[in-house]
Amino acid sequence: MKLIFRHPKPKELNLAWMIGLTIAVSAVLVFISFFVFLNSGAYATVKQISAAQQVLQSDLDDIDTTSPIQADDLEYYSRTLPQRVKSFNDAADFGPTGL
Amino acid sequence: MGVAPNVLAEGQIDSKDRLMELQDKRSVSILPQDRAVVSEQCINNKQTIKTLQTATDESAKKRIATYGAIQKEIKAIELRMSKQGADASEVDLLIGKLQQSLDTFTEKSRYSQQLAEDITAVDCINSPELYKAGIVEYNQTRQEMFTLASELKVTVLLSPQTTFNPLINRLRI
């Protein structure tokens, strides 16, 4: 008995279907990346910085923001800045009430 | 001028509702034999809470004003450096860190104010559980304020090392 093997006819690739599939896969990947970014620390930092920028940019009219700053001026500011908060006694002001 | 009766009643309901929610959330209960003691504490502590909250508000206002002013100053430094063509991006991180703690601190400060008002408005004889629930929440809120205030202070105390020294070095080059 003669067996006849017939090669299966190769399926034709439908171009439109492939493009659609590629777009769908890309969309899913973009969505996943976006979702991961929204839940990441990087996004939290970006939000923090942009919130701070918005608040501050509308409120700097009374401060010099244009003249050049020297290293010595910045060093002086950096040295005196901690003194302004050292006197805050957080434990006394917000510590346990005993109530 | 007096307060309209319906407004007063509405305020009392809001205050009571808030404390009832806290009681549910924290599952606060008092043994029958302890009710009288808690009621008495409630009556005796009302003035103490008012005085304490006034002091807390004052301390919170000082923190908010000081750290807010510091944020503005360091933003100005960044802008001045940018105009000189020097990078000062570390400042943005410092501002962001301060802003985050300050926002939450401000929110907690308002909440402690409201809690103090609710606690001092509670009916001590009939609802000592509400007083107890309010006090537990009040103490926790103060603890959170303490943590946030400490974070703000440490951030500023460490800023010479974390932020300013690199900027100073950059300006000296």
Side-chain angles (χ1 to χ4, degrees):
Chain A
M1 200 170 99
K2 192 176 177 184
L3 290 172
I4 300 172
F5 293 100
R6 296 178 70 183
H7 291 288
K9 190 180 174 186
K11 285 182 183 168
E12 282 180 19
L13 288 174
N14 183 328
L15 184 64
W17 190 86
M18 287 301 290
I19 290 171
L21 181 68
T22 309
I23 290 172
V25 170
S26 307
V28 168
L29 290 176
V30 167
F31 178 76
I32 290 170
S33 308
F34 186 62
F35 186 75
V36 168
F37 173 67
L38 287 184
N39 287 293
S40 68
Y43 181 58
T45 308
V46 169
K47 272 205 304 188
Q48 257 179 42
I49 290 173
S50 65
Q53 297 272 20
Q54 279 176 2
V55 170
L56 291 170
Q57 269 172 5
S58 60
D59 203 21
L60 287 173
D61 296 340
D62 52 340
I63 300 183
D64 175 14
T65 57
T66 51
S67 66
I69 189 163
Q70 305 299 317
D72 290 343
D73 298 336
L74 194 54
E75 193 175 13
Y76 175 76
Y77 181 77
S78 156
R79 210 172 45 243
T80 52
L81 181 62
Q83 306 303 324
R84 290 162 60 185
V85 300
K86 260 186 185 161
S87 63
F88 286 151
N89 189 341
D90 299 325
D93 293 340
F94 310 110
T97 60
L99 292 171
Chain B
M1 205 166 85
V3 180
N6 59 337
V7 173
L8 185 63
E10 203 175 84
Q12 283 172 344
I13 289 166
D14 285 349
S15 167
K16 196 175 176 183
D17 282 351
R18 281 193 293 267
L19 289 175
M20 282 170 76
E21 264 180 41
L22 286 177
Q23 189 193 349
D24 285 346
K25 188 177 103 182
R26 295 188 169 275
S27 308
V28 172
S29 61
I30 302 174
L31 294 171
Q33 62 268 31
D34 295 335
R35 283 181 70 84
V37 176
V38 178
S39 289
E40 199 184 330
Q41 282 174 352
C42 171
I43 294 163
N44 293 338
N45 286 338
K46 280 193 176 186
Q47 190 52 47
T48 310
I49 292 167
K50 279 182 189 167
T51 311
L52 185 67
Q53 188 54 39
T54 305
T56 304
D57 287 344
E58 200 54 43
S59 304
K61 262 188 213 166
K62 270 187 203 163
R63 304 298 195 283
I64 293 165
T66 303
Y67 292 114
I70 290 171
Q71 272 187 305
K72 282 171 65 175
E73 290 161 12
I74 53 183
K75 183 65 194 174
I77 288 169
E78 186 198 19
L79 291 173
R80 289 169 72 184
M81 283 186 70
S82 301
K83 289 203 169 77
Q84 288 169 258
D87 172 43
S89 47
E90 290 95 337
V91 170
D92 273 334
L93 287 174
L94 177 61
I95 292 171
K97 206 170 174 186
L98 287 174
Q99 184 74 42
Q100 190 186 31
S101 298
L102 199 56
D103 283 349
T104 320
F105 180 81
T106 307
E107 191 187 303
K108 295 287 171 193
S109 165
R110 287 194 195 118
Y111 186 49
S112 79
Q113 232 172 359
Q114 188 188 64
L115 277 170
E117 282 170 19
D118 290 350
I119 294 166
T120 50
V122 82
D123 177 353
C124 293
I125 305 295
N126 296 312
S127 311
E129 298 86 359
L130 298 187
Y131 165 78
K132 196 175 168 187
I135 283 291
V136 172
E137 184 83 359
Y138 185 66
N139 284 333
Q140 190 188 312
T141 304
R142 282 180 62 88
Q143 173 62 41
E144 287 164 353
M145 286 176 74
F146 167 66
T147 306
L148 289 161
S150 303
E151 277 173 18
L152 284 162
K153 188 175 176 178
V154 168
T155 302
V156 171
L157 289 177
L158 294 179
S159 65
Q161 292 83 44
T162 58
T163 306
F164 291 111
N165 287 351
L167 301 186
I168 293 164
N169 291 337
R170 213 168 288 150
L171 284 175
R172 287 201 199 283
I173 293 170

